[in-house]
Amino acid sequence: MPPSNPLQWISTFLDAIAAEQDAARNTRLAYGRDLKDFADWCSGHGHDLATLDRETVESYLVYCDAQGLSQATRARRLSSVRQLFRFAFDEGWRSDNPALRIGGPGKAQRLPQTLDQAEVGRLLDAARAHGRTAADRLRNTALMELLYATGLRVTELVSLPQAAVRGDPRMILVRGKGGKERMVPLSSQARTAIADWLAHLDAEAEALRKAGKPVPKHLFPGPGADGHLTRQNCFALLKAMAVRAGVSPAKVTPHVLRHAFATHLLAGGADLRVIQTLLGHADVATTEIYTHVLDDHLKDLVLTRHPLAKPRKPQA
């Protein structure tokens, strides 16, 4: 017997993917937002999730298009609806999946925006000077150095525990999407910045213990329920540092620095499979998008390194 309330459909589905697929919190939130929008639209048009047909789903997609949603967003919405109805079919709530055979709008492949090495250098300099207090500047420096040195996703960065970087490690263990773990090396500059920040945190922790207050466990503590800096605060910090560095704030996000990390490694001669491992990509095809920025570099490589490209000595 299917739930009578659309929100029960969604919450049961989200609980299932959390338990069975170990879906990350952000993945569940994205599914939840998409499916809530779909359920609200269905309710507003008198449609029941248990009985609606393929034409109803197609009408919803037309509505999304009319709202001006991007091709990628519409493709994601359809995927979310399709997953919900697949779950409903498996649970016996429906005898079919009305979204199964609908052709999606596709997903336009966008080349990742990135930063050149000079811009990253200015951002790193700005981090050292940005902040009202010495503690703010230490934190900002550690955050920026770590972000560029590792290519971490923003959620991986802000939720990193202090224990992961204790003892001046050359490599740190990162828990990524789906709970998958990977080892990521640290640069000497990042290790120095982290050590300076940990020294401050340790002094602060001692004062908190004496006052009988809880001691933060994350590398970048925050006042919220999660106990660490939020993704939104991290975005805002980077934008502010971009302004100080004279780099367009529109260009600077945690994900753009992740792209810069990968792009600069590839330009320096790193193997694509190594970059795949460092980024935590499940498929190397995801990593291959970074090769677009290296057209000139690759052309020069072929023209200067290929044996047939070298001028031949005239025969005697």
Side-chain angles (χ1 to χ4, degrees):
M1 189 75 178
S4 57
N5 187 331
L7 294 182
Q8 288 179 316
W9 281 61
I10 297 171
S11 63
T12 306
F13 166 68
L14 296 178
D15 288 343
I17 64 172
E20 297 169 11
Q21 302 175 25
D22 196 21
R25 179 173 179 269
N26 289 332
T27 299
R28 300 196 304 274
L29 288 173
Y31 270 123
R33 285 191 296 268
D34 287 346
L35 293 174
K36 176 70 165 51
D37 185 84
F38 175 63
D40 288 346
W41 181 89
C42 287
S43 297
H45 289 76
H47 299 298
D48 187 340
L49 294 183
T51 58
L52 64 79
D53 56 15
R54 171 178 171 170
E55 287 71 23
T56 302
V57 180
E58 289 175 335
S59 296
Y60 171 69
L61 293 175
V62 171
Y63 159 79
C64 290
D65 190 18
Q67 293 296 109
L69 299 182
S70 70
Q71 188 180 38
T73 299
R74 285 181 282 128
R76 193 194 67 227
R77 291 269 176 96
L78 174 59
S79 176
S80 297
V81 170
R82 188 177 287 145
Q83 294 295 324
L84 174 67
F85 283 121
R86 184 171 73 175
F87 174 74
F89 175 78
D90 291 341
E91 290 293 303
W93 297 351
R94 289 191 58 119
S95 60
D96 66 340
N97 181 340
L100 184 62
R101 299 187 182 280
I102 297 176
K107 185 175 180 181
Q109 187 182 47
R110 292 185 301 170
L111 298 177
Q113 189 175 27
T114 189
L115 299 163
D116 61 34
Q117 293 184 34
E119 288 172 320
V120 172
R122 297 209 303 274
L123 284 170
L124 291 170
D125 289 340
R128 298 182 187 101
H130 182 72
R132 289 177 297 176
T133 66
D136 287 345
R137 293 189 287 275
L138 286 174
R139 179 202 59 197
N140 294 341
T141 302
L143 186 145
M144 183 66 76
E145 288 283 1
L146 186 58
L147 195 55
Y148 180 58
T150 60
L152 294 182
R153 299 178 179 93
V154 62
T155 301
E156 296 168 347
L157 176 78
V158 297
S159 62
L160 196 67
Q162 293 180 28
V165 294
R166 292 274 179 198
D168 192 26
R170 269 53 175 177
M171 300 187 77
I172 59 173
L173 181 67
V174 176
R175 184 181 293 273
K177 285 186 175 181
K180 294 180 180 176
E181 296 180 334
R182 67 186 189 276
M183 296 297 294
V184 180
L186 288 178
S187 66
S188 58
Q189 295 94 321
R191 284 164 44 216
T192 298
I194 290 168
D196 292 342
W197 174 233
L198 281 176
H200 167 78
L201 289 177
D202 288 343
E204 199 173 61
E206 185 61 28
L208 288 171
R209 287 191 193 95
K210 289 179 179 178
K213 295 180 180 179
V215 175
K217 298 186 182 302
H218 292 95
L219 182 60
F220 300 110
D226 290 328
H228 57 67
L229 189 73
T230 66
R231 291 157 48 97
Q232 292 78 10
N233 284 341
C234 184
F235 272 76
L237 274 174
L238 292 182
K239 299 292 185 186
M241 286 187 269
V243 171
R244 178 180 283 271
V247 178
S248 170
K251 291 178 64 176
V252 182
T253 68
H255 214 62
V256 168
L257 278 160
R258 178 171 160 86
H259 292 322
F261 164 81
T263 301
H264 298 169
L265 276 179
L266 199 59
D271 182 84
L272 200 62
R273 290 282 184 183
V274 172
I275 297 173
Q276 176 195 358
T277 300
L278 294 175
L279 291 175
H281 285 162
D283 189 342
V284 73
T286 309
T287 318
E288 285 173 349
I289 194 169
Y290 294 106
T291 60
H292 84 283
V293 299
L294 299 178
D295 288 347
D296 292 338
H297 174 75
L298 293 175
K299 286 176 187 174
D300 180 67
L301 193 65
V302 170
L303 292 175
T304 58
R305 303 295 179 85
H306 194 284
L308 296 183
K310 295 178 180 178
R312 297 183 180 181
K313 294 181 180 179
Q315 293 182 350

